[in-house]
Structures are given as structure tokens and as C-alpha cells.
Amino acid sequence: MNNMERRKKFYICLGVGTIAVVMIVTLGLIPVYLRATSKPSVVEEKCVPNLANDKISLAQVSLLDADEFAFNNAERSITIKLECPILDVDNYTIFANGEPRENTNHTKDSIMLSEFSGGATLLSLFALDTYGLPIFTSFQLYFGLITMPVRIFYANGTVAFNVVVNLNLTDNPRISQSGVTDDRGMITFNHVPPLTISIFAHTKDNQIALAGIAPSESQISLTLIPFNDGKKLNEIENREYLSVTTVGQSLQTISRSFITQANANEAYIEYQFVTSEVPGGYFGSQFNDYFSVTLRSEKGNFITKTDSMNGLGLGAFEFATGATGWSNLTVKVGSTPEKIRFDVGVSNVGDGAYPSTVNIRKYGADQCDDCEKECVKCTSDPMCSSACLNPPMRSCAFYLSCMETKVSCGADGYALGYGFNYCTKFSNALQSFSSQGQTWIWNTMNCLQNALVSPLKNCEKSCSTLRQIAFNAHPKCYIDNGVCNLPALDWPSIVTIVGKDLLTLDGFIQALKTGPQCIPTILQRINTQLQQALTPAKKIALLIVKVWFESL
């Protein structure tokens, strides 16, 4: 009798004050997986496991009516969709920000949810499929109900139409909404979450407008800043120390222009963000002060960087002063001299107390070769900054400001597709972890970032190689920082965040198996925890995690 003819199915049964795992051996194939010919369809065949080897369900899980990179309607129902109809409807549970979601509707391939509060929601699914294999997955979603009108004006007071306007969350700049102004200079953004946002507008003739605010349903009016507006022009590189500081809640800006020297290929600005909100004890609050740095060339090239206190992460700051390290923003230029302009803005968010400042210590142009490791000709290289050479603890900024800036691999590369994505999920799920688990998160995240410093510094440019280096670091970083000794209730959060990408990685599984008493220790802690008083949802989640560990 082969593996497909003899399958094990686990039922997690909840009784009054008791919980049990019952193993049922079934013979033959359940008809739901079969056509009338008893041969699996193309879609269903993808989900039929080899039970001798597969430890995680093969069913792909996706979202309907929601998007991890958009503003989602908090009043709209969403669906978690399985690729195949193999959900064991008796054995699943869902958490939103660590709290169980009750009264969900389901079929064998779908789970429907509704009524979300505005803001960030980490949605976590624990389930068994009908082959008895675990399904672990999570989605970081942002919900909102705010309808926010924005109106753009030219400097002369007339309305600006056909202007591209982007709205981004400063805590996660990959979450955005964009559009074009109408003939009244208006654009309306929908389902905006109640989190600090940045607004950036850009015209075809190289004018910009920017703001960082707490969203509201009142109209936001912005005035475009032309490329040429009579501001001071420095004919050569200027090394003067500049700064701009908040006044009330209105955006404060500073601008300069300069001419690049011949044979340069990058223009740059080196800046630092300082906020008294950090030593004041307001990190993580709605008083999430914002800044923006933009470089424009007279040929139309531009780049902008917006961020906020919470978006940078507490580890990016020296706590006593509220200052970050120095960072660079660069834009490509031609070999012939050209005019460059930078615009730096900063604003208080939430109230006008506790000022924030952006310092600029130098700007100019560099000759950056394909690989220059000594930071002599190309001081603007991100891997020349202290924040990239020594990634700070308690921050996910390395993946955007260092790795993706140094080697742009796009949405499917490791920096954006995995590193920043999962670092953000872990940081948003901190409250679901024990204090020991929180320490493990930050130590592990920092270990993973440090593993990438040397290859980036040594000019590794292959996206696939960088991805392999990064994933190879996961087992050691997880084990060395004590994953085997974490409390049992930390494990459901870990497995649902890392999901298939890591749980099916041979190196990670092998590290768990070879770590001294790692899996036996984890299972012992899970069994002990299951004897304690737990909510039904937590018991289901923990038992499904146990199923996975026992399969190893």
C-alpha cells in the first residue's frame, strides 16, 4: 500500500475543558480530490503531497478583495483562498494582530472575514489540509476608512491638473496609492489608514510638492516647487552644514542648487534625521514626525526619500539625542556638468510639540565606478555609511536604504520580497511574543542584515547570489540566537510569519534537527503548554505547530 493509498488525517477536537488529537487512518482517496475518472485534475494534482517527504501543505494560499501593498477598505469582506479545496474545515484558526477571529465563514477552499479596524493588521492562518499537513501563512494588511481630498496648485496660485500624486505610508513606503489630478487640481484618495502618510506630487516639467501628515477628510492643499525658483545656486560643490527644523505642524523646507563637475556620474546629499520625540518617549505613537529628501536634475531625473520616526525603527536612533546615523541619497547624472537641486522637508505630526530636524553635512557629485570598496571617489555609496556597515538593532531600514539601494533587485528580490517584508511582519507582531521572543526577533533580524554587509560591500551584484547568501544565513541566525529555547507560545507566531519560504528550506530543517536537543526541547515545551489553560484558538494553533514538529 503506497503513500497515496494510506494517509493520516489529524482531527483536533475541542471538548469542555479538554483537547485531544485523534489520528484516523483512511484507505483509498477521498472523492473530492478526484474527477469521475479517479485521476486528479491539473489544479488538484499540484496539491497532492508525497507524505514521505512533504511536511507542509502544497496548497498555495492567496487573498481576494485585499492587497498587501494597497490601502484596503476596512468595511469590505475579504477571502483567504486556497488553490485547491483541501481545507480541513474542522481544524483551522485565524488571528488578527494576535487576537483570534471568531465566527468566520468557510468552504473547503475559502475562509471569509469582515469588519477590520483601521491601521495595520497582521492576519495569521493556522490550518490542516485534508491530508493532515499544516498550512501556515500570514498577510500584513493595512485598512482604512478615511477619504482624503488633495488639491495641487502652481506657485502662481492656479490649479495644477494632470499632476501625478503618490500617497505612501511612512511606516512602510511600499504601501501606496497614486493618481492624477483633474482639471480642478483635485485627486481623492480612498480607504486611507489612520497612520502617518507622505504625499509627493511631480509634474512633467520637474516641479514637486510634498507633505507628511496624519490623514484626515479635510482637503490638503499643496503648492508645487519649481526646479528654478531663484534659490541660491552654488556653482561648485558646497560642503556647508545646513539644517531645517519643524515649526508647529506645517512643513518646513530648505533647498539648494549646484552644478556637478565634469565626468561625475552621481549627485548626492548626505543627511541626518533628529527628533526629540525619541528621548521624549513617543516612539511608536501617533506623534510620528516625518521628513523628505528629494534630488532633481535639470534633465528631469529625480529621486525622493520619505520616512518617519516609526518607519526608521527605534534602533536607528541614538536614544539620548534622538539622532540617526548619516545617510545618502543619490541620483544618476551625465558626464557633462548639469544643475542639481535638492529639497529637504520636515514636519511635526499629531501636534506641534517636540521638534524634529534634518541636518545636511555635505552634497555634491561623485565619480562612482562599478566597484569601489574604499569609499574614496564614491563616498555616496550606501555601503560607505555607518548605518549600512553596522546595521542598527531594532530596525528594518537596512533592506531599503542599503541593500536595495546598492543592488536594485525589485519586488521579487530578497531585500523587498523577503527581508523587508518579513522584518516588518515580525516588528508589527512584537506584542504576540514573549519578552524572550522579542529579544530573539531583534537579534535574529540584525544577524540576517549583518550577513549581507560583506557581499554588498564587496560589490556582489547578482540578485540570485545575494538571495542565496541571505537564505543560507537564516538557519545559523535563528539557531545561534536561541530559537530552540523560546517559549512554546512564540512558535505559532514564528511559523505563520516565515511560512513556506523558510519552513521548507532544507538548511533550516536540518539546523533544527542537528541542534542539540532542539526539536525534543521545543516539543516538550509545547506539550507542557498544552496542559495549561489556553483559549481554543491558541490550542488549535499550538497543536498544528506540534503536528509539523513531530513530522520532522
Side-chain angles (χ1 to χ4, degrees), residues 32-33 41-49 56-64 79-88 107-111 125 127-131 135 137 139 500:
V32 71
Y33 305 119
S41 69
V42 173
V43 173
E44 291 163 346
E45 192 171 0
K46 295 179 182 179
C47 302
V48 177
I56 298 287
S57 177
L58 300 183
Q60 296 295 321
V61 183
S62 60
L63 281 174
L64 301 181
T79 300
I80 298 175
K81 183 75 172 179
L82 272 67
E83 182 182 23
C84 305
I86 58 172
L87 175 68
D88 183 341
T107 65
K108 281 189 170 290
D109 66 357
S110 302
I111 303 170
L125 169 66
L128 292 179
D129 68 15
T130 48
Y131 293 99
I135 300 171
T137 194
F139 301 97
K500 277 187 178 180

Side-chain angles (χ1 to χ4, degrees), residues 94-101 122-124 428-429 431-432 493 538:
I94 293 177
F95 292 83
N97 290 338
E99 296 297 322
R101 291 299 302 260
L122 181 63
L123 202 62
S124 305
N428 286 341
Q431 299 308 311
S432 299
S493 296
K538 286 187 176 181

Side-chain angles (χ1 to χ4, degrees), residues 90-125:
D90 295 316
N91 293 314
Y92 79 86
T93 189
I94 293 177
F95 292 83
N97 290 338
E99 296 297 322
R101 291 299 302 260
E102 307 291 349
N103 303 318
T104 58
N105 297 315
H106 59 257
T107 65
K108 281 189 170 290
D109 66 357
S110 302
I111 303 170
M112 287 69 74
L113 304 96
S114 60
E115 298 181 6
F116 292 91
S117 57
T121 296
L122 181 63
L123 202 62
S124 305
L125 169 66

Side-chain angles (χ1 to χ4, degrees), residues 467-488:
R467 182 182 181 87
Q468 190 61 51
I469 291 170
F471 273 113
N472 287 346
H474 278 262
K476 180 174 175 58
C477 287
Y478 276 56
I479 299 296
D480 287 358
N481 285 290
V483 76
C484 299
N485 298 313
L486 292 179

